[in-house]
Amino acid sequence: MPEGSTKDGIGASLRRKEDKRFLTGSGRYTDDITRPGQLHVHFVRSVHAHANIKAIRTDAAEAAEGVVAIYTGEHVAADGIGGPICGWVVTNRDGSPTNEPPHPILANGTVRYVGDHVVAVIAETLEQAMNAAELVEIDYEVLAPVVDLANAASGAQLHENVPNNMYFDFELGDEAAATAALDSAATVVELEVRNNRLIPNAMEPRAALAEYDHIDDAYTLFTTSQNPHLTRLVIGAFMLNIPESKLRVVAPDVGGGFGSKIYVYPEEAVCTWASKKLRRPIRWTADRSESFLADAHGRDHINKIRMGLDKDNRITGLRVDTLANLGAYLGAFSVVTPTILHAPLLSGCYKIPAIYTNVKGMATTTARVDAYRGAGRPEATYLLERVMDTAARQVGMDPAEFRRMNFIPKDAFPYQTPVALQYDIGDYEPPLDKAMEMIDYKGFEARRAEAAGRGKYRGIGLSSYIEACGIAPSAVAGALGARVGLYESATVRVDPTGTVNVFTGAHSHGQGHDTTFAQIVADKLGIGVGSVEIIHGDSDRIPFGMGTYGSRSLAVGGAAIVKAVDKIVDKAKIIAAHLMEAADADVVFADGKFTVAGTDNEKGFGEIALAAYVPHNYPHDRLEPGLEETAFYDPLNFTYPSGTHIAEVEIDPSTGVVDLVDWACCDDFGNLINPMIVEGQVHGGIAQGVGQALLENAHYDETGQLITASYMDYCMPRADDLPNFKVDYTVTACTHNDLGVKGCGEAGAIASPPALINAVIDALAPLGVTDMSMPASPEKVWRAIQSAQAEAAE
Amino acid sequence: MTTVSFSLNGKQVSADVPDNTLLVNFIRETMSMTGTHVGCDTSQCGACVVHVECESVKSCTMLAAAAEGTSVTTIEGIAHDDGLHPMQQAFHENHGLQCGFCTPGMVMAAIELVKENPDPSETEIREGLEGNICRCTGYHNIVKSVQAGARMMGE
């Protein structure tokens, strides 16, 4: 029988159920799985950014010890195997569709970035596959690389059907209104920012293990995926052309994703395809260098911003022109990230009467760029929060007060922005006030003076953000170009003994769903968390799922679980009414007990579960036996988390090193289910944002070689790069899901980069420095100080 | 081929492996003990940290043959019969892990850090774990976990 305690339900910082297996080395990640008779595949990748393949000679490799098969793009084409698809497209300004080039899983005639997959070498052992790969000879005709985003349109054309290397030319907002607002503004603020390219770097490299069962003519693919059902759909229907029912996709424990494991990649499709050709299991695990080269990268925008203010310093208009680098091919969310997930966020938490934006998505000979933690929203927030500080400085206002006077007032909700979104609820001043109090904003000038006495420059920087997450209402997404629905499913199965299994289409790869979802169910059913098991990540066990990204697991997946639990309770009430010979309407369910109102007649949840499966005394005329319900939940709107983050830095002018000395943030995520897990998500998000702002940068040289392709060269945030974070919350509950939750996974990564760069600029502002690009590396900061001092001396 | 024999989590193990087999591959593949992870190929990330003769070693940087005759402990070998090792318990209590991939290396590195310095300051912990990358937690709760683990190990 289930435990009766609910003290670990909604709102409790319950320690995680999944911890024990991870802490004892019992986690089961894809690379931990082996199959008898398995073969290993190693990919020969392009060493050129852009080249035609003239010839591939594999004779020597085929003769090498242990080699079983070698496949090239010709084999792929001969078998009619398709490539990864774009999951969301947009309409161009002129009404034409997005230009979608083909993306073969092994290059067919042309390679378009360093790391592009050319040959798959399959052997008995990984070492044999790698050794044989060395013997593959490829003759290339080298073509001009296209690396510089600003000049990509005039570079060598990458794809036949992508003229001017432009995948799309998107716009949103009212251009005439924005132009008029800027023309008549008392102050016009101009800024150009670069949102640096990042590499997601989940600590678990991507991996795949595919197995074919010739008796059932069916495949099983174990893979590092954030959404196994979409992987099944894409590989089944678009790549291998097999019935979805013949492909089982399992995403077991996954070691972080951050967006990079949403997509279907060529490697896992090659493993699946080859597993049937060779009738042997095929496995592949990326080494870290391959991850750097061939995982989807993130960000990489150039944004030109013009903001107009009236004579009272209220914002009247905003125009943003963006070039987005999408790399060599389009992935699942490549197009939606810089458009639909970016342009509608340009109002931020501010009342801006007129907004217009144009986004051009460009092809370059670099790894493809797709959604990475925050996906479009960090880019929008960065440019907006940078221009807010620039504007405040230009008109001589305190940046906090300039933000405050331009906030959408709390009585203006629901608030319709000029860029498509309608915010259901929010209140932006309380988190600003709280964060300022947490970091002692008022006392900052004294700290600046004290630091100056020690020869250090101290600065403080804010970022007040909003994000749209919990994606999304399917109908809205469809109208905007999505090719999938964005609901989530849940099945709740009550066992005869009253324990509960929850099958969710969301996927946990660090988010703690085993715990958070169990808390919700335990709370709603009045049973102990220990009686609830969460099952995810297996397309054969879960009805369907859209996976985890866009901070949607709780707001969409959690809401689906609540709907299924509600159905369970509704059915159980009828059973209880029958057993207690009462009218349905008189039965009340609370704390795990069904009671006839006004009496002490009661039945426990476990008793009802048993009755459902041993239906000797049962309302057979009204109900089927059993206690299992499925619900699909399609949200009515995005959710809109918001808040303020404040960074404080100290800069050593002799080295240019930025020391991040303090961080305070106050977020409004709506209701919290497990505050401990939420706080962990905030910490991790901030760390990735600090990485972007201070340390990380994916850099291609002019020939298209990725210079930052290892942890020796790509600077990841480490323990000694970061401070402790002060985290707090305000709550305005989401108005359109049953839990009142908004989502918390991306907020830190969205809010933090501009806060940090604003703090660096604030520290250097007394010297006359007004701009700083990401990452604010010691060299850049030192040079900015030197050049400011040289100018001052002139 | 080389015959490699050593004590793994208290049990004597032995296998014939190619001379160039790395310790991490010996543990993961030859011994099928998959708690120790591989997160990079440049000895930077620390996911593969194990103890060789009670000292932290990045097992991707050591040949299995070099462990001949030693005592090797992995994440699977530190829990006691009556429960988790204090450092494992501290990570659990302080939410010092999310996806769990870096966790085995992080816990093994933290245990040795505390053995060397039983009462480490926050700064000493941050510097001591500089060789272990975590992408999920922002390290805040890892630092708290190690502080709590140090207290519990001292009790």
Side-chain angles (χ1 to χ4, degrees), chain A residues 625-660:
Chain A
L627 200 52
E628 172 172 332
E629 296 289 348
T630 294
F632 281 64
Y633 173 69
D634 202 319
L636 295 170
N637 192 352
F638 288 92
T639 60
Y640 299 99
S642 61
T644 292
H645 285 227
I646 307 180
E648 199 162 319
V649 301
E650 224 172 77
I651 295 171
D652 181 342
S654 62
T655 62
V657 169
V658 177
D659 186 12
L660 176 53

Side-chain angles (χ1 to χ4, degrees), chain B residues 105-123:
Chain B
M106 200 65 85
V107 169
M108 297 307 281
I111 289 171
E112 206 227 343
L113 187 155
V114 170
K115 278 190 181 149
E116 296 285 314
N117 179 359
D119 185 22
S121 68
E122 183 199 325
T123 305

Side-chain angles (χ1 to χ4, degrees), chain A residues 15-16 23 32 288 696 717, chain B residues 28 39 88 93 98 135:
Chain A
R15 299 309 186 255
R16 299 198 321 169
L23 282 163
D32 298 340
R288 184 55 61 182
E696 298 177 40
Chain B
R28 281 184 60 80
Q88 290 171 312
E93 292 295 335
Q98 291 183 25
R135 192 54 152 170

